[in-house]
Amino acid sequence: QSLSLSGATNDDVGPQDAEILSNFKGYRVYRLQANSTKAFEALVKLHDEGDLDFWQAPSFRGETDIMVNGNQEKELKDFMGFYKIDNSVLIDDLDSLMNGQRLGRLKSDGKAMSWTEYHYMETIFDWLDGLATFYPELVTLHSIGTTTDGNPLKLVKISVGRKDRHKPGIYIDALYHGREWISAAVATWIINELVTAPSRYSTLLKHFDFYIVPIMNPDGYAHSCSYNRLWRKSRKTSGTWADFLGCRGVDLNRNFGFHFGGPGSGTIPCSLIYRGTHAFSEPETSAVRDFIYENRNVKWAAYFALHSYGQKWMTPWYVIRVARIGIAAIESHRGTKFDVGSAPEVLYMASGGSDDWFKGAVGCKYSYTIELPDYGFYGFLLPSWEIIPTANETWFGISTALRSIARQR
Ligand code: ARG
Ligand code: ZN
């Protein structure tokens, strides 16, 4: 596919399924900074045409990252030259970075898990099953739904004390987008930390019950692990002409029923940010909605959606104070700096997101989306050796924020 600068053709047709795991030779990622309104608008148009994989969609304040192959690169350079857009090569040799991404070969007996490599969905699910068996006092495992490909949506509840009482709930979920591997690794690390060292978190566990979904998009994750490392959406076919082009999947973070269908979401199945036919049209998102509805007696104290990458803690403006406490804690840990602000401010508009639904429809006051590290050196391809330091600092940030919320109660 070539870069269409006219916008007259190929409306919203995104990079499709043709690329396989080993097939990113000659790909690069550029980082752009539009410094005029005209250049920014041209970038938005280029994004909406959908021929290129934007690793970060255009934002005015922040950076825009675009992946190109050899053919697209020349046209992108012409485009950037024409609009005088500042740019640099963010990732020069994408293919070689894939080597830092070790997928563990652990055959889980339900006990083994590690954070020195990434893991297949099956391994993670086996481990979760094991937790429920080995820590019955602390852990309850729910399957809140089933995906199109028949994979379970597993939710871990971690709770101390009487099971018939409900404490305010902290809801954390990750891996909405297949390629954002670090988010699931951090979520499983947090589960492990709470389950194996509950005494460190007695204050938090006294105040809250934790509900954690480490893989919201199992189908997309499985596809990313085995076929196309950079797959983003779910994997459902749309039953339209788009199926014949090989376009699949819905952007699950555009499918929630709060301001569904607004700016920053795609209408055409081939788009990388395709929102689906209607709010909660997907099994993954409707499972979350139903779980929340079925648990009406739980008061949701905070929500954290874990994504990658970019080091941003996104917040409704009125709870920015707690977000600042979180990012200060993260920075004190090993110096990692996060940007904080509302999503459109630090990133871009994206309607139908889970954060807005938790805030707007569920009434959860502290509702955040966190874009985990890094800042773009590896992007989605964050090496395995970064999992543990990243998980440590992220949990330090989240748990510090939660302690501050607990103190106000
Ligand atoms: N990277 C996330 C996405 O594109 C950011 C979502 C932020 N939330 C929002 N409501 N805009 O899905
Ligand atoms: Zn994401």
Side-chain angles (χ1 to χ4, degrees):
Q1 279 177 348
S2 69
L3 174 66
S4 147
L5 297 177
S6 65
T9 57
N10 263 356
D11 188 30
D12 221 21
V13 176
Q16 296 310 323
D17 216 2
E19 308 125 75
I20 52 161
L21 201 57
S22 55
N23 202 7
F24 287 99
K25 291 228 159 43
Y27 277 75
R28 284 193 167 141
V29 180
Y30 277 82
R31 173 158 287 186
L32 291 68
Q33 180 69 61
N35 30 29
S36 71
T37 313
K38 199 162 151 256
F40 175 67
E41 278 164 4
L43 258 182
V44 169
K45 189 152 164 272
L46 188 65
H47 173 256
D48 292 344
E49 280 165 21
D51 292 331
L52 296 174
D53 188 340
F54 278 66
W55 280 25
Q56 294 206 84
S59 64
F60 200 72
R61 163 163 142 196
E63 53 288 326
T64 302
D65 298 342
I66 307 178
M67 176 175 82
V68 286
N69 62 29
N71 299 328
Q72 297 164 331
E73 183 171 3
K74 203 192 139 334
E75 292 180 67
L76 178 64
K77 280 185 169 161
D78 291 345
F79 173 89
M80 295 185 300
F82 183 83
Y83 288 102
K84 302 195 172 53
I85 295 174
D86 289 342
N87 67 88
S88 57
V89 175
L90 187 66
I91 297 179
D92 191 35
D93 180 3
L94 194 61
D95 201 53
S96 71
L97 285 197
M98 303 244 170
N99 300 332
Q101 296 267 296
R102 293 206 302 136
L103 262 171
R105 292 277 156 195
L106 267 183
K107 254 259 155 258
S108 182
D109 52 359
K111 284 183 190 156
M113 182 44 72
S114 66
W115 287 268
T116 45
E117 58 254 303
Y118 295 97
H119 293 287
Y120 287 104
M121 170 191 75
E122 290 83 355
T123 311
I124 294 175
F125 286 165
D126 286 350
W127 174 71
L128 294 180
D129 294 344
L131 286 184
T133 316
F134 300 125
Y135 301 91
E137 271 83 68
L138 214 51
V139 175
T140 1
L141 191 60
H142 300 260
S143 178
I144 63 169
T146 308
T147 66
T148 312
D149 291 347
N151 292 311
L153 292 163
K154 296 200 182 213
L155 178 149
V156 182
K157 180 179 174 192
I158 302 166
S159 168
V160 299
R162 288 177 53 172
K163 293 283 169 283
D164 55 338
R165 296 261 176 84
H166 294 289
K167 301 186 202 71
I170 307 297
Y171 197 102
I172 302 176
D173 57 16
L175 216 120
Y176 277 81
H177 297 130
R179 58 196 179 186
E180 299 170 7
W181 290 8
I182 185 64
S183 67
V186 168
T188 53
W189 191 95
I190 291 173
I191 293 171
N192 186 64
E193 181 74 3
L194 284 169
V195 171
T196 58
S199 58
R200 272 182 220 158
Y201 305 103
S202 51
T203 312
L204 289 185
L205 287 165
K206 195 178 89 206
H207 278 87
F208 304 120
D209 290 337
F210 285 82
Y211 301 75
I212 306 180
V213 181
I215 309 179
M216 261 299 288
N217 178 10
D219 299 356
Y221 185 52
H223 193 71
S224 171
C225 290
S226 299
Y227 300 103
N228 179 351
R229 175 64 187 84
L230 294 171
W231 188 258
R232 170 179 169 91
K233 296 186 287 179
S234 68
R235 293 288 301 160
K236 201 168 90 178
T237 50
S238 62
T240 68
W241 53 271
D243 293 343
F244 300 101
L245 297 173
C247 302
R248 296 173 78 141
V250 167
D251 184 338
L252 300 177
N253 207 30
R254 303 291 182 277
N255 190 245
F256 280 74
F258 191 79
H259 290 187
F260 173 86
S265 65
T267 53
I268 294 173
C270 289
S271 165
L272 265 183
I273 50 171
Y274 176 50
R275 62 191 179 214
T277 50
H278 55 276
F280 295 118
S281 58
E282 304 310 297
E284 295 84 353
T285 51
S286 55
V288 177
R289 177 200 58 195
D290 294 346
F291 182 80
I292 298 294
Y293 282 5
E294 283 156 21
N295 289 277
R296 274 176 207 282
N297 37 10
V298 179
K299 186 180 175 312
W300 297 101
Y303 170 69
F304 298 88
L306 305 181
H307 288 254
S308 76
Y309 59 95
Q311 294 173 198
K312 295 171 185 15
W313 185 311
M314 286 172 279
T315 160
W317 61 269
Y318 60 91
V319 288
I320 204 163
R321 193 186 56 81
V322 168
R324 289 217 169 90
I325 291 171
I327 68 162
I330 291 178
E331 188 171 349
S332 76
H333 203 78
R334 59 158 183 168
T336 305
K337 286 194 162 62
F338 272 63
D339 198 359
V340 64
S342 73
E345 193 186 356
V346 302
L347 209 55
Y348 43 78
M349 286 210 263
S351 328
S354 61
D355 47 4
D356 291 336
W357 183 76
F358 269 89
K359 171 163 68 83
V362 181
C364 169
K365 179 175 174 190
Y366 299 96
S367 175
Y368 302 110
T369 291
I370 300 181
E371 297 283 355
L372 296 172
D374 61 9
Y375 186 61
F377 190 83
Y378 293 101
F380 300 116
L381 307 177
L382 195 70
S384 319
W385 62 80
E386 285 291 331
I387 298 173
I388 290 173
T390 305
N392 257 303
E393 68 187 353
T394 304
W395 175 236
F396 188 58
I398 291 178
S399 57
T400 306
L402 288 178
R403 284 180 216 282
S404 129
I405 294 173
R407 272 197 297 277
Q408 294 161 38
R409 303 183 74 89

